[in-house]
């Protein structure tokens, strides 16, 4: 028995003593997120998050918060399944999966890009890809794509890829693609042109709804740290 026992209201179970897990995406969002993470006080150098370690989970400057670094699409899955209580991912991922267990309290205003339709430069066909009633579309967003074309009365046959979908039209796998566009240089380098924007995208802070109920103080405090970090930037 402990010499000093905590009052019942302050006692914590082994589970709630565990660090919060913050899931961060690899790649371009993490790069843009670096300065925000520095201002939260979680990292001293936001440009070197996780560098120098092969470990996928690592500590932050706050002993109550650990980070896991996963693929952008998987951030939402880790948070929805409770492996991570909080995370950062693009609104594109939230649109694609629409997890009911995820609450997205904060638009971080970084990682701005768009989900667009693109087709080969000089290809026959209308600028509006929805002019035909059946279309083969290469994408990593099957749900968003189906939903978008269905609303226009077009039956989209999906060729589901996880990357390099810009190759699909020139290799006769699809007539158009639906993909993220930022600078447009990937489309250009692969002979494609953007014809329609489906949605504009920024990165969101996301939270597991159950964790928000079971660990409200810790999670709300972390949300506030992100909110303050954003305000600090605009101040
Ligand atoms: C995205 C997207 C394009 C590229 C567009 O891929 O799938 O390939 O970025 O960016 P741009 O308009 O600036 O050229 P990302 O780099 O996120 O990698 P991914 O293939 O792992 O999704």
């Amino acid at each position: 028995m402990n010499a000093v026992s905590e009052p019942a209201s302050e006692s914590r179970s082994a589970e709630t003593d565990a660090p919060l897990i913050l899931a961060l995406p690899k790649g371009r969002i993490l790069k843009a997120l670096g300065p925000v993470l520095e201002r939260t006080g979680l990292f001293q150098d936001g440009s070197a998050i996780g560098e120098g370690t092969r470990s996928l989970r690592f500590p932050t400057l706050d002993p109550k918060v650990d980070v896991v670094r996963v693929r952008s699409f998987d951030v939402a899955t880790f948070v929805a399944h409770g492996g991570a209580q909080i995370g950062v991912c693009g609104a594109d991922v939230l649109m694609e999966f629409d997890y009911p267990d995820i609450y997205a309290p904060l638009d971080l205003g970084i990682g701005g890009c768009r989900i667009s339709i693109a087709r080969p430069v000089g290809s026959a066909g209308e600028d509006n890809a929805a002019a035909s009633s059946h279309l083969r579309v290469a994408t990593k967003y099957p749900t968003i794509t189906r939903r978008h074309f269905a609303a226009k009365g077009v039956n989209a046959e999906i060729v589901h890829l996880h990357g390099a979908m810009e190759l699909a039209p020139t290799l006769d796998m699809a007539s158009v693609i639906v993909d993220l566009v930022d600078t447009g240089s990937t489309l250009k380098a692969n002979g494609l042109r953007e014809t329609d924007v489906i949605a504009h995208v920024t990165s969101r802070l996301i939270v597991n709804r159950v964790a928000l109920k079971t660990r409200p103080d810790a999670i709300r405090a972390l949300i506030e740290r992100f909110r303050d970090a954003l305000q600090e930037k605009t101040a």
Side-chain angles (χ1 to χ4, degrees):
M1 195 173 157
N2 290 337
V4 181
S5 62
E6 289 180 328
S9 61
E10 290 177 17
S11 69
R12 303 211 177 272
S13 70
E15 189 189 356
T16 55
D17 264 346
L20 283 181
I21 305 292
L22 169 66
L24 297 180
K26 299 174 182 175
R28 76 173 69 202
I29 295 179
L30 189 55
K31 215 169 169 188
L33 192 62
V36 180
L37 288 165
E38 284 174 19
R39 289 194 296 273
T40 60
L42 290 173
F43 291 95
Q44 202 161 23
D45 181 1
S47 66
I49 292 169
E51 274 181 16
T53 174
R54 296 289 296 164
S55 175
L56 299 171
R57 173 177 172 163
F58 42 88
T60 68
L61 294 175
D62 182 342
K64 294 183 198 137
V65 182
D66 278 0
V67 158
V68 292
R69 201 180 33 175
V70 300
R71 294 187 68 153
S72 176
F73 265 61
D74 291 339
V75 167
T77 310
F78 273 81
V79 173
H81 290 267
Q85 291 76 41
I86 192 160
V88 173
C89 74
D92 54 317
V93 177
L94 298 180
M95 282 172 69
E96 179 65 21
F97 293 111
D98 201 17
Y99 283 117
D101 296 327
I102 288 181
Y103 165 57
L106 207 52
D107 184 343
L108 297 172
I110 56 162
C113 55
R114 51 205 186 270
I115 304 172
S116 290
I117 303 170
R119 61 169 57 223
V121 172
S123 66
E126 301 294 322
D127 253 17
N128 182 353
S132 35
S133 64
H134 180 272
L135 207 55
R136 204 174 321 139
V137 189
T139 187
K140 60 182 170 189
Y141 302 104
T143 304
I144 292 171
T145 300
R146 256 190 221 103
R147 194 191 300 144
H148 174 80
F149 284 109
K152 293 179 178 299
V154 176
N155 176 25
E157 184 188 336
I158 306 293
V159 178
H160 191 183
L161 297 172
H162 295 91
M165 60 240 30
E166 293 86 358
L167 292 170
T170 47
L171 298 178
D172 285 334
M173 293 167 68
S175 45
V176 301
I177 68 167
V178 167
D179 195 12
L180 280 189
V181 181
D182 180 9
T183 61
S185 54
T186 308
L187 291 183
K188 198 172 169 197
N190 290 284
L192 302 175
R193 67 190 164 99
E194 189 177 5
T195 59
D196 302 85
V197 175
I198 296 179
H200 289 275
V201 168
T202 49
S203 299
R204 311 296 163 107
L205 190 70
I206 61 171
V207 170
N208 178 285
R209 286 183 190 278
V210 174
L212 188 56
K213 284 186 186 143
T214 54
R215 304 182 67 180
D217 296 347
I219 290 178
R220 285 190 196 285
L222 196 48
I223 294 172
E224 284 315 307
R225 278 169 83 167
F226 274 92
R227 207 185 296 278
D228 291 348
L230 293 182
Q231 277 165 3
E232 206 179 301
K233 180 187 165 196
T234 52

